[in-house]
Amino acid sequence: MEYTPISPFMRPISHAHLRVIERPEASVPGKPVNKWELLRELSKAQAAFGVSERDLTVLQGLLSFFPDDALGGNTEMVVFPSNKAICERLNGMPCSTMRRHLARLVESSLLMRRDSPNGKRYVRKRGEDRVAFGFDLSPLYCRAEEIARAAEAVREAEDRVRRLREVVSLMRRDLAALAEFGEEIQPGLGLWDQLSDTAVLTARALRRKLSLADLSAYRTELESLLDQARNVIDGPDTEEMDTNDAHFERHHHNSNKESIDLEPALEKGGAAAGAPEADPCEPEAEVEEPDMRRVPKIPLHLVIASCPSLKTFYQGDIRHWHQLFDAACHVRPAMGISVSAWEEAQRCMGPEQASIVVVAMLERFADIRSPGGYLRALTSKAAAGEFSCGPMVMALIGRRSAA
């Protein structure tokens, strides 16, 4: 018969509690941990620990009874409020509900009961000695590193979903653009109707919260259709791109020096002067709401040709705008550009134009003192409607022609 330990007040002590008690000292954090930061991390990773939002609300109430902001050190981490005091702190939560959530926190090894002989919660002092009976927060403190790792894993998973969702959204827009273009050059082909219908259905699906597996399935389907469409229109598309090349070369030779050397002050880390006035011949990426933005008018293959350094850092093929976005996401951390600067650039410029800017910055990385600051400066100009990525690409083409 298995022996079940009993607490002083005749409550069974679970084996999960014994594991916390027997936890080796090496697993205990070596420095104090802010209790509110720890609670936020636990809130992010709550699924991994089997606790609900209401459980965390009760835990927040208990933490509020602990006088210090930091758990750890030499301080005894026992709080001893009465049930009535806890319920009042929780805005009048029923006592039965509060006790149920407390039991769940104990079962999850985030709390441990320290019962007095009569079951009351109190602290007793005898000279310098102090004995407290109530709820011990040390299990929560001991699992701080485990909680932090679980929270980071959740953030990484959310980031993967967010990036994949953005890629699928860009692929959907590529699909709609190719369907429209294909109908113009080869009208009546059933593939264009399939592309258009798939783009509409994907847009509807993206209104919902999709899992990583769902988004991966959409990406696979859209990649297949995009490759089919590109294989059909490669011939005519190549001719049009050649025509666009000639147009951009003429524009390059007729542009003034200020357009070619875009934002020289920013490239050295200083404040930028006013942007040059927009040339009516200059193609601009339209900045609208995320679902309404169109693909930039500058040809994708011209962007790739002007940024040969990208092939050194990104080995995949880039035939569509979503692939350029994926490449920009890949090189962005290595360039020292923060996530917040990258996301702000996407909001103000659109994912496609932001991707063009990042790969163009990669090409001139040695000349840019602070890539993150440079991107933020261009983002501010884009937010004010004073930025176009066209001159940036043409300046790179000019450098290659001069070399």
Side-chain angles (χ1 to χ4, degrees):
M1 181 176 177
E2 187 176 1
Y3 169 70
T4 301
I6 300 295
S7 72
F9 197 56
M10 302 302 291
R11 287 194 181 98
I13 299 178
S14 71
H15 290 279
H17 300 167
L18 292 179
R19 285 196 296 272
V20 173
I21 296 172
E22 295 168 359
R23 186 183 300 271
E25 290 298 325
S27 65
V28 177
K31 59 182 180 179
V33 178
N34 185 281
K35 61 183 180 181
W36 303 122
E37 291 181 4
L38 182 56
L39 183 65
R40 282 192 290 271
E41 294 290 274
L42 181 59
S43 178
K44 175 63 70 174
Q46 63 186 61
F49 294 89
V51 292
S52 65
E53 293 181 2
R54 297 296 298 274
D55 298 334
L56 294 176
T57 300
V58 174
L59 179 59
Q60 180 180 1
L62 285 179
L63 288 173
S64 69
F65 287 100
F66 188 72
D68 299 330
D69 283 339
L71 298 175
N74 297 323
T75 306
E76 190 176 38
M77 292 174 282
V78 178
V79 292
F80 38 88
S82 65
N83 287 348
K84 181 180 178 181
I86 297 174
C87 291
E88 289 176 352
R89 190 67 59 91
L90 298 175
N91 299 319
M93 177 183 287
C95 185
S96 59
T97 303
M98 182 273 296
R99 291 170 64 90
R100 185 171 65 251
H101 292 300
L102 274 176
R104 194 170 299 162
L105 290 169
V106 172
E107 291 170 2
S108 302
S109 301
L110 297 172
L111 288 178
M112 188 167 56
R113 295 182 186 272
R114 279 196 180 182
D115 290 328
S116 65
N118 62 1
K120 302 294 184 180
R121 302 178 197 131
Y122 59 89
V123 60
R124 175 176 294 169
K125 295 182 179 179
R126 291 182 179 177
E128 296 182 356
D129 295 334
R130 180 179 181 273
V131 179
F133 297 99
F135 294 103
D136 193 347
L137 301 173
S138 58
L140 178 67
Y141 171 70
C142 291
R143 303 184 72 179
E145 295 180 1
E146 179 186 354
I147 292 170
R149 288 194 298 269
E152 184 61 27
V154 171
R155 291 191 185 95
E156 291 176 358
E158 290 175 345
D159 184 63
R160 287 195 299 270
V161 170
R162 184 166 52 250
R163 282 189 55 187
L164 185 54
R165 186 182 184 89
E166 187 66 39
V167 167
V168 170
S169 178
L170 292 176
M171 293 174 73
R172 192 270 309 168
R173 279 147 58 179
D174 285 350
L175 206 66
L178 285 177
E180 182 179 352
F181 179 63
E183 187 63 35
E184 291 178 1
I185 63 173
Q186 296 188 31
L189 195 63
L191 178 61
W192 313 133
D193 290 335
Q194 183 183 2
L195 264 60
S196 181
D197 292 344
T198 303
V200 171
L201 293 174
T202 304
R204 291 176 183 173
L206 288 173
R207 297 173 187 171
R208 307 191 306 270
K209 185 176 181 179
L210 300 175
S211 66
L212 187 65
D214 292 335
L215 290 170
S216 298
Y218 277 108
R219 178 174 186 171
T220 301
E221 179 185 5
L222 294 178
E223 279 180 340
S224 176
L225 289 173
L226 285 169
D227 288 339
Q228 291 181 45
R230 274 298 184 193
N231 291 335
V232 171
I233 64 177
D234 260 346
D237 194 44
T238 302
E239 295 177 5
E240 181 181 349
M241 288 180 175
D242 290 341
T243 304
N244 284 332
D245 275 344
H247 168 74
F248 273 89
E249 287 296 334
R250 288 195 300 271
H251 175 76
H252 163 64
H253 289 300
N254 292 332
S255 297
N256 57 33
K257 186 70 168 60
E258 189 177 16
S259 296
I260 295 175
D261 295 331
L262 181 66
E263 313 290 359
L266 279 176
E267 292 175 8
K268 297 301 180 182
E277 293 185 2
D279 190 327
C281 297
E282 183 61 56
E284 295 186 1
E286 299 183 14
V287 178
E288 302 174 16
E289 292 299 320
D291 288 339
M292 298 299 294
R293 286 193 199 101
R294 298 178 183 175
V295 173
K297 295 180 181 179
I298 185 170
L300 175 59
H301 88 105
L302 194 64
V303 176
I304 302 305
S306 66
C307 303
S309 298
L310 185 60
K311 295 180 180 179
T312 304
F313 300 94
Y314 185 79
Q315 304 301 322
D317 294 332
I318 301 177
R319 303 178 65 197
H320 306 284
W321 288 106
H322 75 271
Q323 292 169 331
L324 182 68
F325 173 79
D326 191 47
C329 288
H330 180 76
V331 301
R332 187 269 309 165
M335 295 173 65
I337 298 173
S338 66
V339 175
S340 60
W342 172 231
E343 291 180 347
E344 183 67 19
Q346 292 180 64
R347 280 193 293 271
C348 295
M349 301 181 183
E352 298 93 341
Q353 186 168 212
S355 302
I356 293 174
V357 170
V358 168
V359 298
M361 289 170 57
L362 176 66
E363 192 64 27
R364 301 194 65 177
F365 187 71
D367 302 328
I368 302 174
R369 181 178 303 172
S370 174
Y374 184 47
L375 181 60
R376 287 189 185 277
L378 296 184
T379 299
S380 299
K381 297 174 76 67
E386 300 174 352
F387 174 74
S388 168
C389 62
M392 204 171 191
V393 175
M394 296 313 304
L396 294 177
I397 293 176
R399 289 184 66 188
R400 294 191 63 196
S401 300

